[in-house]
Amino acid sequence: MNNTVGAFGAQGASVPPARGPVPLSPAHEHAMRFYGPDIARDPVPLYEEMRRRFGPVAPILLDGDIPAWFVLGYRELHHVTGRPEWFARDCRRWNMWDHVDDDWPLMPYVMWTPSVMFAEGAEHQRRAGAIGDALDATDRADLRALCQWVADGLIDQFAGDGEADLVSQYAHHIPAGVIARLYGLPAQEVSDMVRDILVSLDVTADAGQAHHRVQERMRRIVGERRAHPRDDIPSRLLLHPAGLTDEEVVIDLLVIMSAAQAPTGNWIGNTLRLMLLDDDFSLTLQGGRSSSGEALNEVLWKNTPTQNFIGRWAVQSCELGGRRIKRGDLLVLGLAAANCDPRLNTGDLGIYGTNRAQMSFGHGEHGCPFPAPETAEVIARTAVETLLDRLPDVRMAVPPDRLRWRPSVWMRGLYELPARFSPIVGQGRGTG
């Protein structure tokens, strides 16, 4: 499950006291700073420069010049994610805790919580297995119908205008809308829940209060389902043989929601951008169903929503990619960089449309548990195809170079995707 848990990471957190100058080993004396306003503008040249200078594992400095290792080789990333006994998820083993403050900008990504995100071994298998079973029990046909219902309702709101921002009015609302309904949230509360989720995952003064409201809704739902189970994800988690406590279910429901929202919303937005921008896809917008799946897969290779992921912590000292990794060192997983590793280049340009070996969903014990990637793809593909079916002449309303990417080295997504189309009458679906 990719790391978008930031806003949902405070429950039960335990942060050791900080302070002290940051010691840099000789290996980090020439490290690249992995932060700042310019670093995320065009990530591909950045990854190429890091690969040229350092190879498949690069020394980097995070905010505040905190040393870490950036794993950008595909083979090396596969090795790290497939060896939890060497590179583990429990952040409490980090050797830099004495040098970061409580208000460090990346604290939401490294702060330990009693969630599935930081569990290891048998405990992780217990939690992740319950999540996988709860998701897998959702009928795929029902899921597609729900996704189309949510997508149609959103389209109905702007279909008659002839123009819309396909990011803020569409792509970012769909994952939260679908998950909220899979959680069994009452229909009259879904819009407020979706709004709070979007605000809580943004960097604004209102994020904390929005997160608190989302958390309280989850607690209320769990309490209600404990007393009166239904056919929904919270009830399945509570009734699972893993024996999850109410608090475990609450925090893992928050993890599912946050892990689904930003990556899937950006996946939809990035795919719509590609299909409206690329002539190869634009030619098949009307009726070419295979093109949407290929576009979704190409985005995962070339513009994956989760660019980088914190992280793994070295259980013991070892060597990786020619670098000496010390016990407790933090490794940042370069998912996008690994996907563009030149060692993968076979000369076949069609590989990006059909090959699914990209690392966008992670790998190994802490990769997105089955069937989370499949669920995300159903949501994203239905969202893309529904929009193109309803608005067949949709086109970008601004030149491509006017589109703005959010300045983050962690997530890859657009601020907006302005589009125009012939106004149509709403179908009245998905608005109940």
Side-chain angles (χ1 to χ4, degrees), residues 58-82:
I60 59 172
L61 299 176
L62 301 175
D63 284 86
D65 288 347
I66 302 296
W69 297 100
F70 185 58
V71 186
L72 66 160
Y74 185 94
R75 182 184 304 160
E76 288 73 20
L77 186 60
H78 195 277
H79 177 79
V80 168
T81 54

Side-chain angles (χ1 to χ4, degrees), residues 150 154 167-178 194-195 198 261:
V150 171
L154 291 169
V167 167
S168 67
Q169 292 179 258
Y170 188 67
H172 280 186
H173 283 267
I174 290 176
V178 172
V194 171
R195 183 170 56 251
L198 295 176
Q261 174 55 39

Side-chain angles (χ1 to χ4, degrees), residues 170-223:
Y170 188 67
H172 280 186
H173 283 267
I174 290 176
V178 172
I179 297 296
R181 288 168 172 87
L182 292 177
Y183 281 7
L185 199 72
Q188 65 271 21
E189 296 184 25
V190 169
S191 60
D192 289 341
M193 174 76 158
V194 171
R195 183 170 56 251
D196 281 340
I197 290 167
L198 295 176
V199 172
S200 70
L201 292 173
D202 210 346
V203 185
T204 67
D206 298 328
Q209 290 185 348
H211 164 60
H212 178 73
R213 290 193 295 270
V214 174
Q215 192 174 55
E216 287 307 306
R217 281 194 187 94
M218 291 300 102
R219 284 205 174 91
R220 176 173 56 79
I221 289 173
V222 168

Side-chain angles (χ1 to χ4, degrees), residues 11-239:
Q11 177 65 25
S14 174
V15 182
R19 309 346 143 235
V22 181
L24 292 182
S25 67
H28 279 80
E29 288 180 356
H30 303 288
M32 294 183 69
R33 284 183 168 83
F34 208 63
Y35 62 93
D38 299 324
I39 195 168
R41 247 169 229 166
D42 195 358
V44 173
L46 167 69
Y47 302 147
E48 290 176 348
E49 172 67 9
M50 296 176 77
R51 209 183 311 271
R52 184 187 65 79
R53 287 180 57 183
F54 302 109
V57 179
I60 59 172
L61 299 176
L62 301 175
D63 284 86
D65 288 347
I66 302 296
W69 297 100
F70 185 58
V71 186
L72 66 160
Y74 185 94
R75 182 184 304 160
E76 288 73 20
L77 186 60
H78 195 277
H79 177 79
V80 168
T81 54
R83 300 290 189 280
E85 68 276 15
W86 293 352
F87 307 100
R89 273 293 291 151
D90 193 327
C91 58
R92 291 174 292 186
R93 55 171 54 86
W94 193 18
N95 55 22
M96 283 288 116
W97 274 122
D98 289 340
H99 306 286
V100 294
D101 295 316
D102 293 354
D103 60 353
W104 188 51
L106 297 180
M107 186 62 75
Y109 293 91
V110 299
M111 182 185 298
W112 183 84
T113 65
S115 77
V116 66
M117 293 291 292
F118 294 104
E120 296 179 353
E123 175 62 11
H124 180 266
Q125 293 172 17
R126 180 178 76 96
R127 304 279 286 274
I131 291 173
D133 290 343
L135 291 174
D136 196 32
T138 301
D139 181 83
R140 303 306 191 267
D142 289 345
L143 176 61
R144 281 190 292 272
L146 172 59
C147 294
Q148 184 166 348
W149 188 71
V150 171
D152 276 326
L154 291 169
I155 294 170
D156 279 349
Q157 294 177 24
F158 56 73
D161 299 336
E163 60 181 14
D165 175 7
L166 300 182
V167 167
S168 67
Q169 292 179 258
Y170 188 67
H172 280 186
H173 283 267
I174 290 176
V178 172
I179 297 296
R181 288 168 172 87
L182 292 177
Y183 281 7
L185 199 72
Q188 65 271 21
E189 296 184 25
V190 169
S191 60
D192 289 341
M193 174 76 158
V194 171
R195 183 170 56 251
D196 281 340
I197 290 167
L198 295 176
V199 172
S200 70
L201 292 173
D202 210 346
V203 185
T204 67
D206 298 328
Q209 290 185 348
H211 164 60
H212 178 73
R213 290 193 295 270
V214 174
Q215 192 174 55
E216 287 307 306
R217 281 194 187 94
M218 291 300 102
R219 284 205 174 91
R220 176 173 56 79
I221 289 173
V222 168
E224 291 173 354
R225 298 303 185 271
R226 178 67 78 182
H228 304 287
R230 292 166 47 180
D231 185 17
D232 56 27
I233 289 177
S235 299
R236 293 173 201 149
L237 288 174
L238 289 166
L239 296 173

